Short mmCIF file of all heavy atoms in Angstrom, two decimals:
data_model
loop_
_atom_site.label_atom_id
_atom_site.label_comp_id
_atom_site.label_asym_id
_atom_site.label_seq_id
_atom_site.Cartn_x
_atom_site.Cartn_y
_atom_site.Cartn_z
N LEU A 254 2.08 48.34 40.35
CA LEU A 254 2.15 48.66 41.77
C LEU A 254 2.04 47.41 42.66
O LEU A 254 2.77 47.28 43.65
CB LEU A 254 1.06 49.64 42.15
CG LEU A 254 1.27 51.09 41.70
CD1 LEU A 254 0.02 51.93 41.96
CD2 LEU A 254 2.46 51.70 42.41
N VAL A 255 1.15 46.52 42.30
CA VAL A 255 0.98 45.28 43.09
C VAL A 255 2.30 44.46 43.00
O VAL A 255 2.76 43.91 44.01
CB VAL A 255 -0.21 44.46 42.58
CG1 VAL A 255 -0.22 43.09 43.18
CG2 VAL A 255 -1.51 45.20 42.94
N ASN A 256 2.88 44.36 41.82
CA ASN A 256 4.14 43.64 41.69
C ASN A 256 5.27 44.28 42.55
O ASN A 256 6.05 43.56 43.14
CB ASN A 256 4.59 43.56 40.23
CG ASN A 256 3.80 42.52 39.45
OD1 ASN A 256 3.27 41.59 40.04
ND2 ASN A 256 3.75 42.68 38.14
N ALA A 257 5.33 45.60 42.57
CA ALA A 257 6.33 46.29 43.40
C ALA A 257 6.11 45.98 44.87
O ALA A 257 7.06 45.75 45.63
CB ALA A 257 6.30 47.78 43.11
N LEU A 258 4.85 45.97 45.30
CA LEU A 258 4.55 45.67 46.72
C LEU A 258 4.93 44.24 47.04
O LEU A 258 5.47 43.97 48.14
CB LEU A 258 3.08 45.94 47.03
CG LEU A 258 2.67 47.40 47.10
CD1 LEU A 258 1.15 47.50 47.22
CD2 LEU A 258 3.34 48.05 48.29
N VAL A 259 4.62 43.31 46.18
CA VAL A 259 4.95 41.90 46.40
C VAL A 259 6.48 41.73 46.49
O VAL A 259 6.99 41.04 47.37
CB VAL A 259 4.35 41.00 45.32
CG1 VAL A 259 4.92 39.62 45.33
CG2 VAL A 259 2.85 40.97 45.45
N LEU A 260 7.20 42.37 45.57
CA LEU A 260 8.63 42.30 45.61
C LEU A 260 9.22 42.87 46.89
O LEU A 260 10.10 42.28 47.52
CB LEU A 260 9.22 43.01 44.40
CG LEU A 260 10.74 42.98 44.24
CD1 LEU A 260 11.21 41.54 44.07
CD2 LEU A 260 11.18 43.82 43.08
N GLY A 261 8.71 44.01 47.29
CA GLY A 261 9.17 44.66 48.54
C GLY A 261 8.89 43.78 49.76
O GLY A 261 9.73 43.66 50.66
N THR A 262 7.73 43.18 49.80
CA THR A 262 7.37 42.29 50.92
C THR A 262 8.28 41.06 50.93
O THR A 262 8.74 40.62 51.98
CB THR A 262 5.90 41.85 50.81
OG1 THR A 262 5.09 43.01 50.79
CG2 THR A 262 5.49 40.96 51.98
N GLY A 263 8.58 40.53 49.76
CA GLY A 263 9.42 39.33 49.66
C GLY A 263 10.85 39.64 50.14
O GLY A 263 11.43 38.85 50.87
N VAL A 264 11.36 40.77 49.74
CA VAL A 264 12.73 41.17 50.18
C VAL A 264 12.76 41.36 51.67
O VAL A 264 13.66 40.88 52.37
CB VAL A 264 13.19 42.44 49.43
CG1 VAL A 264 14.43 43.03 50.05
CG2 VAL A 264 13.41 42.14 47.96
N THR A 265 11.76 42.03 52.22
CA THR A 265 11.72 42.26 53.66
C THR A 265 11.61 40.93 54.43
O THR A 265 12.31 40.72 55.43
CB THR A 265 10.52 43.15 54.03
OG1 THR A 265 10.64 44.38 53.32
CG2 THR A 265 10.47 43.43 55.51
N ALA A 266 10.77 40.05 53.95
CA ALA A 266 10.62 38.74 54.61
C ALA A 266 11.91 37.92 54.55
O ALA A 266 12.29 37.28 55.53
CB ALA A 266 9.49 37.96 53.97
N SER A 267 12.61 37.95 53.42
CA SER A 267 13.84 37.18 53.32
C SER A 267 14.93 37.75 54.25
O SER A 267 15.66 36.98 54.87
CB SER A 267 14.33 37.12 51.86
OG SER A 267 14.79 38.38 51.47
N ILE A 268 14.98 39.05 54.38
CA ILE A 268 15.94 39.64 55.29
C ILE A 268 15.61 39.25 56.71
O ILE A 268 16.48 38.91 57.51
CB ILE A 268 15.98 41.18 55.12
CG1 ILE A 268 16.61 41.55 53.80
CG2 ILE A 268 16.71 41.85 56.27
CD1 ILE A 268 16.44 43.01 53.40
N ASP A 269 14.31 39.30 57.09
CA ASP A 269 13.89 38.96 58.44
C ASP A 269 14.20 37.46 58.71
O ASP A 269 14.65 37.13 59.79
CB ASP A 269 12.41 39.25 58.61
CG ASP A 269 12.00 39.18 60.09
OD1 ASP A 269 12.74 39.69 60.92
OD2 ASP A 269 10.93 38.64 60.36
N LEU A 270 13.93 36.59 57.73
CA LEU A 270 14.22 35.17 57.93
C LEU A 270 15.72 34.91 58.08
O LEU A 270 16.11 34.08 58.89
CB LEU A 270 13.66 34.36 56.78
CG LEU A 270 12.12 34.26 56.75
CD1 LEU A 270 11.66 33.56 55.49
CD2 LEU A 270 11.60 33.57 57.98
N ARG A 271 16.57 35.61 57.33
CA ARG A 271 17.98 35.47 57.47
C ARG A 271 18.47 35.97 58.83
O ARG A 271 19.34 35.39 59.44
CB ARG A 271 18.74 36.21 56.39
CG ARG A 271 19.04 35.32 55.23
CD ARG A 271 19.98 35.96 54.23
NE ARG A 271 19.23 36.02 53.00
CZ ARG A 271 19.17 37.07 52.23
NH1 ARG A 271 19.84 38.13 52.50
NH2 ARG A 271 18.44 37.04 51.14
N ARG A 272 17.84 37.06 59.31
CA ARG A 272 18.21 37.60 60.62
C ARG A 272 17.90 36.58 61.71
O ARG A 272 18.67 36.44 62.69
CB ARG A 272 17.46 38.90 60.86
CG ARG A 272 17.73 39.53 62.19
CD ARG A 272 16.91 40.79 62.39
NE ARG A 272 15.50 40.55 62.38
CZ ARG A 272 14.78 40.27 63.46
NH1 ARG A 272 15.35 40.18 64.63
NH2 ARG A 272 13.48 40.10 63.38
N LEU A 273 16.80 35.85 61.55
CA LEU A 273 16.46 34.85 62.57
C LEU A 273 17.39 33.65 62.57
O LEU A 273 17.38 32.85 63.51
CB LEU A 273 15.01 34.35 62.35
CG LEU A 273 13.97 35.39 62.77
CD1 LEU A 273 12.57 34.86 62.42
CD2 LEU A 273 14.06 35.70 64.24
N GLN A 274 18.21 33.51 61.56
CA GLN A 274 19.20 32.40 61.53
C GLN A 274 20.44 32.76 62.31
O GLN A 274 21.29 31.93 62.49
CB GLN A 274 19.52 32.07 60.09
CG GLN A 274 18.35 31.49 59.33
CD GLN A 274 18.67 31.27 57.86
OE1 GLN A 274 19.76 31.61 57.37
NE2 GLN A 274 17.73 30.69 57.17
N THR A 275 20.54 34.00 62.80
CA THR A 275 21.69 34.45 63.59
C THR A 275 21.34 34.39 65.05
O THR A 275 20.17 34.55 65.45
CB THR A 275 22.14 35.83 63.19
OG1 THR A 275 21.12 36.75 63.55
CG2 THR A 275 22.41 35.94 61.72
N PRO A 276 22.34 34.22 65.95
CA PRO A 276 22.03 34.25 67.37
C PRO A 276 21.45 35.61 67.80
O PRO A 276 20.54 35.63 68.63
CB PRO A 276 23.40 34.02 68.04
CG PRO A 276 24.26 33.43 66.97
CD PRO A 276 23.72 33.88 65.67
N GLY A 277 22.00 36.69 67.29
CA GLY A 277 21.50 38.01 67.67
C GLY A 277 20.09 38.24 67.26
O GLY A 277 19.26 38.80 68.02
N GLY A 278 19.71 37.85 66.06
CA GLY A 278 18.34 37.98 65.59
C GLY A 278 17.37 37.14 66.40
O GLY A 278 16.26 37.62 66.75
N THR A 279 17.77 35.94 66.70
CA THR A 279 16.94 35.06 67.54
C THR A 279 16.75 35.64 68.92
O THR A 279 15.64 35.66 69.49
CB THR A 279 17.53 33.65 67.60
OG1 THR A 279 17.62 33.15 66.28
CG2 THR A 279 16.66 32.72 68.45
N ALA A 280 17.82 36.15 69.53
CA ALA A 280 17.74 36.73 70.87
C ALA A 280 16.84 37.96 70.85
O ALA A 280 16.03 38.14 71.79
CB ALA A 280 19.14 37.10 71.34
N LEU A 281 16.94 38.79 69.82
CA LEU A 281 16.07 39.98 69.76
C LEU A 281 14.60 39.54 69.64
O LEU A 281 13.73 40.11 70.32
CB LEU A 281 16.45 40.86 68.58
CG LEU A 281 17.62 41.77 68.76
CD1 LEU A 281 18.03 42.43 67.44
CD2 LEU A 281 17.32 42.84 69.80
N ARG A 282 14.33 38.60 68.79
CA ARG A 282 12.94 38.13 68.58
C ARG A 282 12.39 37.54 69.86
O ARG A 282 11.26 37.80 70.21
CB ARG A 282 12.94 37.10 67.43
CG ARG A 282 11.58 36.58 67.06
CD ARG A 282 10.79 37.62 66.26
NE ARG A 282 9.52 37.13 65.84
CZ ARG A 282 9.25 36.73 64.60
NH1 ARG A 282 10.19 36.82 63.69
NH2 ARG A 282 8.06 36.30 64.29
N TRP A 283 13.17 36.74 70.55
CA TRP A 283 12.69 36.11 71.77
C TRP A 283 12.49 37.16 72.87
O TRP A 283 11.51 37.12 73.60
CB TRP A 283 13.66 35.03 72.26
CG TRP A 283 13.09 34.37 73.49
CD1 TRP A 283 12.18 33.37 73.55
CD2 TRP A 283 13.42 34.70 74.83
NE1 TRP A 283 11.90 33.04 74.84
CE2 TRP A 283 12.64 33.85 75.68
CE3 TRP A 283 14.25 35.62 75.42
CZ2 TRP A 283 12.72 33.89 77.05
CZ3 TRP A 283 14.32 35.67 76.81
CH2 TRP A 283 13.53 34.81 77.63
N THR A 284 13.42 38.11 72.98
CA THR A 284 13.31 39.16 74.00
C THR A 284 12.06 39.97 73.74
O THR A 284 11.35 40.31 74.68
CB THR A 284 14.56 40.05 73.99
OG1 THR A 284 15.69 39.24 74.19
CG2 THR A 284 14.50 41.09 75.09
N GLN A 285 11.79 40.30 72.50
CA GLN A 285 10.56 41.03 72.15
C GLN A 285 9.33 40.22 72.58
O GLN A 285 8.41 40.76 73.15
CB GLN A 285 10.51 41.31 70.66
CG GLN A 285 9.31 42.04 70.22
CD GLN A 285 9.28 42.28 68.70
OE1 GLN A 285 10.17 41.84 67.98
NE2 GLN A 285 8.29 42.96 68.22
N ALA A 286 9.35 38.93 72.33
CA ALA A 286 8.24 38.07 72.70
C ALA A 286 8.10 38.02 74.25
O ALA A 286 6.98 38.09 74.78
CB ALA A 286 8.45 36.67 72.16
N ALA A 287 9.21 37.92 74.96
CA ALA A 287 9.16 37.88 76.42
C ALA A 287 8.71 39.18 77.03
O ALA A 287 7.98 39.18 78.04
CB ALA A 287 10.54 37.49 76.96
N VAL A 288 9.10 40.29 76.44
CA VAL A 288 8.72 41.59 76.99
C VAL A 288 7.28 41.94 76.69
O VAL A 288 6.56 42.52 77.55
CB VAL A 288 9.67 42.70 76.45
CG1 VAL A 288 9.18 44.09 76.77
CG2 VAL A 288 11.09 42.51 76.96
N PHE A 289 6.77 41.59 75.50
CA PHE A 289 5.45 41.98 75.10
C PHE A 289 4.41 40.84 75.18
O PHE A 289 3.25 41.06 74.85
CB PHE A 289 5.44 42.57 73.67
CG PHE A 289 6.21 43.85 73.61
CD1 PHE A 289 7.40 43.92 72.90
CD2 PHE A 289 5.75 44.99 74.25
CE1 PHE A 289 8.11 45.12 72.84
CE2 PHE A 289 6.46 46.18 74.19
CZ PHE A 289 7.65 46.25 73.49
N GLY A 290 4.81 39.65 75.58
CA GLY A 290 3.86 38.59 75.81
C GLY A 290 3.41 37.83 74.58
O GLY A 290 2.28 37.33 74.55
N ASP A 291 4.27 37.68 73.60
CA ASP A 291 3.94 36.88 72.40
C ASP A 291 4.32 35.44 72.68
O ASP A 291 5.47 35.02 72.53
CB ASP A 291 4.70 37.40 71.17
CG ASP A 291 4.38 36.65 69.92
OD1 ASP A 291 3.69 35.60 69.99
OD2 ASP A 291 4.81 37.10 68.84
N CYS A 292 3.32 34.67 73.12
CA CYS A 292 3.60 33.31 73.59
C CYS A 292 4.14 32.38 72.49
O CYS A 292 5.01 31.56 72.73
CB CYS A 292 2.34 32.72 74.20
SG CYS A 292 2.63 31.21 75.09
N ASP A 293 3.64 32.54 71.28
CA ASP A 293 4.10 31.64 70.19
C ASP A 293 5.60 31.79 69.97
O ASP A 293 6.33 30.82 69.89
CB ASP A 293 3.35 31.95 68.89
CG ASP A 293 1.86 31.57 68.95
OD1 ASP A 293 1.52 30.69 69.77
OD2 ASP A 293 1.07 32.17 68.25
N ASP A 294 6.08 33.05 69.86
CA ASP A 294 7.51 33.26 69.64
C ASP A 294 8.32 32.93 70.91
O ASP A 294 9.44 32.47 70.82
CB ASP A 294 7.80 34.69 69.20
CG ASP A 294 7.46 34.93 67.73
OD1 ASP A 294 7.13 33.96 67.05
OD2 ASP A 294 7.55 36.09 67.31
N TYR A 295 7.73 33.20 72.06
CA TYR A 295 8.38 32.89 73.34
C TYR A 295 8.74 31.40 73.39
O TYR A 295 9.87 31.03 73.74
CB TYR A 295 7.47 33.29 74.50
CG TYR A 295 8.04 33.07 75.87
CD1 TYR A 295 8.86 34.00 76.47
CD2 TYR A 295 7.75 31.88 76.59
CE1 TYR A 295 9.36 33.80 77.73
CE2 TYR A 295 8.25 31.69 77.83
CZ TYR A 295 9.05 32.64 78.42
OH TYR A 295 9.59 32.43 79.68
N LEU A 296 7.80 30.57 73.02
CA LEU A 296 8.03 29.11 73.05
C LEU A 296 8.83 28.64 71.85
O LEU A 296 9.66 27.74 71.98
CB LEU A 296 6.70 28.38 73.14
CG LEU A 296 5.90 28.58 74.42
CD1 LEU A 296 4.53 27.96 74.30
CD2 LEU A 296 6.67 28.06 75.61
N ALA A 297 8.61 29.25 70.68
CA ALA A 297 9.30 28.79 69.47
C ALA A 297 10.80 29.08 69.46
O ALA A 297 11.57 28.32 68.91
CB ALA A 297 8.64 29.40 68.24
N TYR A 298 11.20 30.21 70.06
CA TYR A 298 12.58 30.62 69.99
C TYR A 298 13.34 30.39 71.30
O TYR A 298 14.39 30.98 71.51
CB TYR A 298 12.68 32.12 69.56
CG TYR A 298 12.20 32.28 68.17
CD1 TYR A 298 10.97 32.91 67.93
CD2 TYR A 298 12.94 31.84 67.08
CE1 TYR A 298 10.50 33.08 66.64
CE2 TYR A 298 12.46 32.02 65.79
CZ TYR A 298 11.28 32.63 65.58
OH TYR A 298 10.79 32.78 64.31
#
Side-chain angles (χ1 to χ4, degrees):
L254 285 172
V255 169
N256 283 337
L258 287 172
V259 167
L260 182 63
T262 302
V264 168
T265 303
S267 68
I268 291 169
D269 193 42
L270 289 174
R271 265 191 242 135
R272 178 182 62 90
L273 285 175
Q274 294 174 355
T275 66
T279 301
L281 281 171
R282 182 75 177 257
W283 182 83
T284 304
Q285 180 181 2
V288 170
F289 294 112
D291 181 351
C292 191
D293 292 334
D294 283 354
Y295 181 85
L296 293 173
Y298 294 107

